[in-house]
Amino acid sequence: MGEAATFGLSKSLREAGFKLGRLKTGTPPRLDGRTIDFKKLEAHSGDDPPMSFSYLHDSVAVRDQLMCYKTYTNEAAHDVIRANLEKSIHIRETVKGPRYCPSLESKVIRFKDKNQHIIWLEPEGFETDVVYPNGISMTVPAEVQEQMLKLIVGLENVNMLQPGYGVEYDYVDPRSLKATLQTKAIRGLFLAGQINGTTGYEEAAAQGVIAGINAGLASQSKPEMIVSRGDGYIGIMIDDLVTKGVSEPYRMFTSRSEYRMSSRADNADLRLTEKGRAAGVVGDERWSCFQDEIAERVALRTVLLGKKHNSQDWRAKGFRPNNDSVLRTGLDLLRLTGVSMSSLSAEFPELAGFSHKARTRVAIEAIYAPYVASQRASIQSFERDEALRLPPDIDYTSLRGISSEERAALSASRPESLGQARRIEGVTPAGALRLLSYVHTQRKVAAKEVAFEAMKRDRAAYRGL
């Protein structure tokens, strides 16, 4: 948007010894919703009923949700972009942008076989007419953007309130961070957001939460709070950043997790509330609500586990389990196709006394139970590796039995645990075992030195008697 670049912060970080890189991102133009012909477009409603983000509420305050609308670019719009590519320096490949939400210029160049790209028209709020056209971030001149927009169905008479623009920015190599997002070089300095090489609002917010919590804990000399890969997606993102670094703007996807069956939206409170309470960031109201819900679900599970029959008995009651010798509980029946809490109500009349939320969550947990159980062994193995902390001052150049590539990778990342070391790109399983052996040997040597010093002190004290 013509704003002057700033260099002071980057200069200070570089002088402090941080390795910096360069990335770019962009944003689409903003549109006046009053000038969009929504009658021509395909409407898309939100969840019905709308789901609350908070576990403290069963419903949202606003029942009438705003609609989103779908339209598409077309060949005429693409021709306008192609004719003006030389006017956009933001598409140059020397600085990488987001792979998963590329600019319209990048789409036109990279996907020549596509004659249209989807645009989601998203209202920005209840008290504004501003519409966010998701999918067409661009940096061609404003007059070109207006010309292109008016070629799109529904936007023929649109008023562009603000043109799209691009931003290039410096970032700190996130391998210089601990899992708390505190820098390894400067104690008390925490980094979060785009400065760590990520892109996206949620990614930045998640880092801000963790960095903020740990900054507060550090200021009070309290134990740090780490969200691991096994705890949730925040842990996946941070672990990816601090062990692998980035070469392009990082975006979080569920596919990055090894534990997707365990890390679900419906059980985030089970995974993280106790951790938050221990860190002092979960208040009494939320904690009381959490404990009450846990108690209700335990009671509901107890009811469903209270009856156990063979397949013949369950078939006589109208259910259709496999015809085998396995004894099944009511909880097991929930994994059968077509079985729900409602269909179990005749056999378990006590279910009527439980809340809809408790019945829904226990049903979900029952369905996922076999998969979660199979992942639990992997998570436990992961936690053992994470528990083996590595000394921060290891001289990887003197570590024998590993390749030069592994030395370089370990020296660049300086992992905090054996688990982190295993996940660094370029570190082989054999190299990780060498590192484990080296750490055990060093600890034995250190223990012997401590014992020897203690013996010398005892001898000196004995002589002094």
Side-chain angles (χ1 to χ4, degrees):
M1 297 291 290
E3 293 183 0
T6 58
F7 303 99
L9 180 59
S10 295
K11 181 174 180 292
S12 297
L13 290 169
R14 192 174 284 109
E15 290 175 350
F18 291 102
K19 179 183 176 183
L20 303 186
R22 191 84 168 157
L23 295 172
K24 65 183 178 184
T25 190
T27 191
R30 301 303 194 270
L31 310 179
D32 185 344
R34 296 169 297 183
T35 62
I36 298 174
D37 189 351
F38 291 111
K39 294 178 181 178
K40 293 182 177 181
L41 306 177
E42 181 181 333
H44 284 258
S45 58
D47 292 338
D48 186 21
M51 300 292 292
S52 171
F53 282 112
S54 173
Y55 285 98
L56 295 179
H57 305 103
D58 294 325
S59 62
V60 300
V62 179
R63 304 296 298 179
D64 297 326
Q65 299 291 294
L66 296 177
M67 303 286 282
C68 291
Y69 294 83
K70 182 169 67 173
T71 187
Y72 296 89
T73 62
N74 50 53
E75 278 297 344
H78 295 176
D79 288 340
V80 170
I81 296 296
R82 291 190 192 99
N84 291 276
L85 286 174
E86 78 282 354
K87 298 176 183 177
S88 173
I89 65 169
H90 206 58
I91 60 170
R92 59 195 173 95
E93 294 300 321
T94 52
V95 177
K96 288 195 175 183
R99 178 191 305 195
Y100 301 102
C101 47
S103 66
L104 183 57
E105 297 98 316
S106 296
K107 290 178 182 178
V108 169
I109 292 171
R110 289 164 53 188
F111 307 108
K112 295 182 175 64
D113 58 320
K114 302 292 184 183
N115 56 21
Q116 65 179 23
H117 295 286
I118 194 169
I119 304 173
W120 289 104
L121 299 175
E122 304 169 350
E124 290 203 350
F126 287 100
E127 299 177 357
T128 179
D129 294 311
V130 179
V131 171
Y132 183 100
N134 197 338
I136 53 169
S137 66
M138 50 184 154
T139 59
V140 291
E143 62 273 14
V144 176
Q145 296 186 35
E146 282 194 291
Q147 179 186 356
M148 187 277 300
L149 287 169
K150 293 181 185 296
L151 295 171
I152 294 170
V153 174
L155 306 183
E156 294 88 349
N157 299 303
V158 74
N159 177 31
M160 184 175 72
L161 301 174
Q162 174 186 302
Y165 61 92
V167 176
E168 287 190 8
Y169 57 95
D170 290 331
Y171 73 96
V172 171
D173 184 345
R175 291 176 296 180
S176 63
L177 303 173
K178 298 180 179 180
T180 59
L181 295 183
Q182 181 177 212
T183 63
K184 296 174 181 176
I186 301 178
R187 184 178 179 184
L189 175 61
F190 294 78
L191 303 181
Q194 279 187 320
I195 195 170
N196 292 340
T198 62
T199 184
Y201 304 119
E202 295 83 4
E203 286 82 357
Q207 292 172 73
V209 168
I210 300 303
I213 290 173
N214 280 299
L217 292 172
S219 70
Q220 302 174 64
S221 300
K222 292 183 177 179
E224 61 193 16
M225 187 188 87
I226 294 177
V227 179
S228 73
R229 297 185 76 90
D231 292 326
Y233 290 106
I234 293 177
I236 300 287
M237 174 181 64
I238 292 176
D239 185 70
D240 283 348
L241 292 172
V242 302
T243 58
K244 301 175 183 177
V246 298
S247 57
E248 61 185 44
Y250 180 94
R251 205 79 197 246
M252 185 64 226
F253 297 103
T254 56
S255 58
R256 296 187 188 273
S257 173
E258 311 93 313
Y259 312 117
R260 291 191 293 280
M261 293 294 181
S262 303
S263 298
R264 308 186 309 273
D266 66 273
N267 69 356
D269 58 338
L270 294 177
R271 292 180 282 108
L272 299 171
T273 303
E274 289 187 17
K275 188 178 287 286
R277 182 69 172 181
V281 294
V282 169
D284 291 340
E285 180 187 2
R286 185 178 298 276
W287 182 244
S288 176
C289 177
F290 173 71
Q291 290 183 309
D292 290 344
E293 289 193 5
I294 290 292
E296 185 180 19
R297 291 204 296 276
V298 168
L300 177 50
R301 287 173 57 86
T302 300
V303 168
L304 293 172
L305 291 170
K307 291 184 180 181
K308 182 181 289 189
H309 300 301
N310 58 34
S311 59
Q312 288 77 19
D313 290 342
W314 282 124
R315 282 175 172 269
K317 296 174 183 293
F319 299 99
R320 290 290 177 266
N322 290 337
N323 195 8
D324 52 32
S325 60
V326 176
L327 293 176
R328 292 178 175 86
T329 66
L331 208 60
D332 297 323
L333 293 183
L334 287 169
R335 289 193 285 275
L336 300 179
T337 302
V339 177
S340 65
M341 285 288 184
S342 297
S343 56
L344 289 175
S345 58
E347 185 66 23
F348 298 92
E350 304 95 325
L351 297 182
F354 294 93
S355 68
H356 173 73
K357 180 188 286 188
R359 294 197 303 271
T360 300
R361 295 192 64 174
V362 169
I364 293 173
E365 289 166 7
I367 292 169
Y368 280 102
Y371 309 103
V372 172
S374 66
Q375 282 190 350
R376 190 168 295 125
S378 297
I379 293 176
Q380 290 172 346
S381 175
F382 162 80
E383 289 174 344
R384 285 194 296 271
D385 283 349
E386 291 301 298
L388 202 159
R389 311 301 289 179
L390 301 177
D393 56 350
I394 291 180
D395 180 11
Y396 291 105
T397 60
S398 65
L399 181 55
R400 296 183 178 181
I402 63 173
S403 68
S404 57
E405 179 187 2
E406 288 173 314
R407 285 195 186 91
L410 290 166
S411 296
S413 293
R414 304 209 67 81
E416 298 176 78
S417 68
L418 179 65
Q420 278 190 6
R422 287 185 189 276
R423 295 188 294 276
I424 294 173
E425 188 173 350
V427 176
T428 65
L433 286 175
R434 290 281 187 183
L435 177 58
L436 176 62
S437 176
Y438 174 81
V439 171
H440 281 323
T441 300
Q442 293 300 108
R443 287 181 175 173
K444 288 178 181 178
V445 170
K448 286 181 179 179
E449 290 177 351
V450 170
F452 181 70
E453 291 298 323
M455 183 180 67
K456 287 200 300 183
R457 288 194 300 271
D458 291 343
R459 284 181 177 178
Y462 178 77
R463 292 191 185 110
L465 291 177

